[in-house]
């Protein structure tokens, strides 16, 4: 069976070049290439996020941020849940598995996995859950179908976990897996990390990812929205750029920083007119460039609110266990051990800025020595190297 037909809004807009495209990257000399723009990812200067307390509860936003950031509720549960959520509070990372998010997909991924029975078996299991031949789309495309939100998210999830099995089959691979003491993933990749850490089964995680992609696509279809990566400015300057753009648009078109990826690369999400205003004003703020991201809509903002209730219902029906190792949340850059807290955070993740830069900096500051990127592409490795050129990270594909 082939996957269901995809609406026109679910594919890459032809007038926008994906910043991860080899054509885009190869067209410019290496020394002139800006940091990679990516659809799934944000650093506030402080170690604690504005508006989020140490335990994840919502606080009042500073005035200079509340003007343009769409407020999101990030309450993570009752006091009882908070008390049960301290297992990994003092974690000390040494070896990490990092999993990519949407945008890392490429036609041909999954081929290497077929030579490893345990990895190939994951694709067979995926077919049963999804109802179509995922491997065929991964290996043969077409690209427009693989790039769609509803296909790319489960494709990356399965291929990334297949990469774990590819590594396991190598000499010394099991020893590496046994040495991993922390994991995290970029947006979608957080689900992959939780599956690796044993918080839920492969099949349950895939069902959640499938629904997540569908719910995000539907939310994007319901409003005119977009994402743009701003290259060459620090996060404070990008915030001022958002403020300036928001002064010229209605409430429904306001924008916010949605993805804090790495120094000089922050994705802005919001209404289409607001995004266009950001693009028009970026040069006056001395941005090097802007790149419109080829995604369905304004991910990680209030525009994704319609997806939250569907995720909440699915998560409520899913058995989630305490992870075996710390899994760092995209929402607050902290590990969580209480299953109910994890469910609440996953539901709010789609409307909350992704704190990837803070996550990586925190891991490195806590003593992380070695990292592995598991899955398609080398996006994560590039990001980590831009945060710290001396970071030791290795790619494992499938």
């Amino acid at each position: 069976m082939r996957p269901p037909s995809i609406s026109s809004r679910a594919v890459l807009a032809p007038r926008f070049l994906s910043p991860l495209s080899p054509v885009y990257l190869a067209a410019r000399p290496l020394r002139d290439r800006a940091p990679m723009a990516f659809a799934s990812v944000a650093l506030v200067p402080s170690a604690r996020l504005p508006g989020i307390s140490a335990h994840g509860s919502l606080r009042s936003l500073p005035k200079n941020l509340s003007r343009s950031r769409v407020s999101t509720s990030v309450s993570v549960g009752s006091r009882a849940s908070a008390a049960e959520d301290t297992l990994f509070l003092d974690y000390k990372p040494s070896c990490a598995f990092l999993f990519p998010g949407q945008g890392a997909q490429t036609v041909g991924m999954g081929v290497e996995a077929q030579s490893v029975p345990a990895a190939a078996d994951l694709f067979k299991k995926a077919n049963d859950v999804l109802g179509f031949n995922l491997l065929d789309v991964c290996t043969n495309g077409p690209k427009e179908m693989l790039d769609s939100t509803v296909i790319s998210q489960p494709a990356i999830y399965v291929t990334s976990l297949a990469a774990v099995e590819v590594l396991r089959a190598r000499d010394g691979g099991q020893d590496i897996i046994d040495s991993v003491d922390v994991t995290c993933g970029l947006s979608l990749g957080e689900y992959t990390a939780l599956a690796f850490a044993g918080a839920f089964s492969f099949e349950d995680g895939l069902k959640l990812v499938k629904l997540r992609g569908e719910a995000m696509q539907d939310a994007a279809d319901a409003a005119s929205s977009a994402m743009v990566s701003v290259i060459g400015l620090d996060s404070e300057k990008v915030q001022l750029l958002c403020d300036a753009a928001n002064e010229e648009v209605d409430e429904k078109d306001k924008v916010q920083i949605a993805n804090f990826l790495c120094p000089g690369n922050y994705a802005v999400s919001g209404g289409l007119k607001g995004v266009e205003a950001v693009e028009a004003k970026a040069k006056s703020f001395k941005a090097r460039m802007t790149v419109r991201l080829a995604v369905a809509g304004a991910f990680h903002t209030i525009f994704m609110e319609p997806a939250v209730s569907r995720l909440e219902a699915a998560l409520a029906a899913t058995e989630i266990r305490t992870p075996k190792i710390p899994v760092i949340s995209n929402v607050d850059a902290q590990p969580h051990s209480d299953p109910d807290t994890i469910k609440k955070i996953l539901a709010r993740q789609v409307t909350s800025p992704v704190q990837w830069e803070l996550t990586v900096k925190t891991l490195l500051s806590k003593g992380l020595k070695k990292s592995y990127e598991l899955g398609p592409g080398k996006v994560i490795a590039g990001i980590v190297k831009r945060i710290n050129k001396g970071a030791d990270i290795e790619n494992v594909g499938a």
Side-chain angles (χ1 to χ4, degrees):
M1 293 177 61
R2 295 290 291 169
S5 60
I6 308 299
S7 68
S8 60
R9 290 204 56 185
V11 301
L12 286 173
R15 71 183 198 282
F16 301 136
L17 182 64
S18 168
L20 299 182
S21 163
V23 176
Y24 172 85
L25 292 174
R28 293 146 60 225
L30 181 62
R31 65 180 181 275
D32 295 331
R33 292 178 192 173
M36 288 178 291
F38 193 61
S40 293
V41 167
L43 168 80
V44 282
S46 63
R48 185 174 295 169
L49 307 187
I52 305 177
S53 71
H55 296 291
S57 59
L58 192 66
R59 295 189 281 108
S60 298
L61 288 174
K63 290 182 179 179
N64 65 319
L65 296 182
S66 61
R67 285 200 308 272
S68 65
R69 288 189 179 173
V70 183
S71 62
T72 56
S73 171
V74 198
S75 173
V76 294
S78 64
R79 290 182 179 179
S81 294
E84 297 168 357
D85 197 42
T86 58
L87 179 62
F88 303 125
L89 190 62
D90 297 319
Y91 75 102
K92 293 178 174 56
S94 60
C95 183
F97 272 7
L98 310 178
F99 296 100
Q102 187 176 347
Q105 71 276 357
T106 182
V107 174
M109 69 185 196
V111 173
E112 184 180 352
Q114 302 315 299
S115 63
V116 178
D121 188 52
L122 294 180
F123 282 91
K124 295 175 183 177
K125 291 180 179 179
N127 293 346
D128 295 334
V129 173
L130 300 173
F132 64 86
N133 191 332
L134 179 67
L135 179 62
D136 181 48
V137 181
C138 287
T139 56
N140 300 315
K143 182 179 185 300
E144 291 77 13
M145 181 170 287
L146 182 60
D147 285 341
S148 69
T149 298
V150 295
I151 301 295
S152 64
Q153 294 199 21
I156 293 167
Y157 172 87
V158 174
T159 304
S160 298
L161 289 173
V164 176
E165 298 306 323
V166 169
L167 175 61
R168 194 190 308 273
R170 296 179 183 174
D171 289 341
Q174 186 61 57
D175 291 337
I176 292 173
I177 292 171
D178 291 342
S179 72
V180 175
D181 51 17
V182 68
T183 183
C184 54
L186 189 59
S187 189
L188 154 73
E190 187 171 339
Y191 286 78
T192 319
L194 285 163
F196 170 74
F200 43 65
S201 68
F202 167 80
E203 291 86 352
D204 283 348
L206 182 56
K207 290 174 185 177
L208 288 172
V209 167
K210 176 179 182 290
L211 180 138
R212 181 181 187 266
E214 294 168 349
M216 291 175 72
Q217 180 64 54
D218 290 344
D221 288 342
S224 180
S225 63
M227 294 183 72
V228 61
S229 188
V230 180
I231 307 297
L233 297 180
D234 63 31
S235 58
E236 291 182 349
K237 289 285 183 62
V238 177
Q239 182 60 53
L240 292 174
L241 175 57
C242 289
D243 292 343
N246 285 335
E247 290 177 358
E248 298 186 359
V249 299
D250 296 335
E251 190 68 29
K252 65 181 178 65
D253 280 309
K254 291 193 182 299
V255 295
Q256 68 178 91
I257 302 177
N259 298 337
F260 293 79
L261 186 54
C262 59
N265 190 344
Y266 303 96
V268 171
S269 250
L272 182 58
K273 290 183 179 179
V275 168
E276 290 172 345
V278 167
E279 292 169 331
K281 291 177 175 294
K283 287 296 183 183
S284 66
F285 279 79
K286 302 190 184 307
R288 190 185 310 172
M289 63 188 296
T290 61
V291 179
R292 183 76 69 90
L293 298 179
V295 295
F299 296 164
H300 298 292
T301 71
I302 201 69
F303 282 84
M304 292 294 108
E305 186 65 32
V308 173
S309 59
R310 292 171 64 180
L311 279 167
E312 287 175 336
L315 287 161
T318 301
E319 179 187 2
I320 293 186
R321 300 174 288 275
T322 298
K324 295 177 182 178
I325 59 175
V327 179
I328 311 303
S329 165
N330 282 207
V331 173
D332 60 5
Q334 297 291 331
H336 297 280
S337 54
D338 174 57
D340 287 338
T341 300
I342 293 170
K343 289 182 179 184
K344 288 179 173 67
I345 285 185
L346 286 178
R348 301 311 310 185
Q349 188 217 53
V350 293
T351 59
S352 304
V354 177
Q355 302 293 339
W356 189 254
E357 183 178 8
L358 180 57
T359 294
V360 174
K361 286 187 172 182
T362 300
L363 289 174
L364 293 172
S365 71
K366 281 179 167 285
L368 182 68
K369 303 299 183 187
K370 175 75 175 183
S371 298
Y372 294 84
E373 175 183 10
L374 295 104
K378 298 181 179 180
V379 174
I380 298 296
I383 294 170
V384 171
K385 287 291 188 180
R386 283 189 168 90
I387 294 173
N388 186 325
K389 291 181 180 179
D392 186 358
I393 183 165
E394 182 178 333
N395 300 94
V396 180

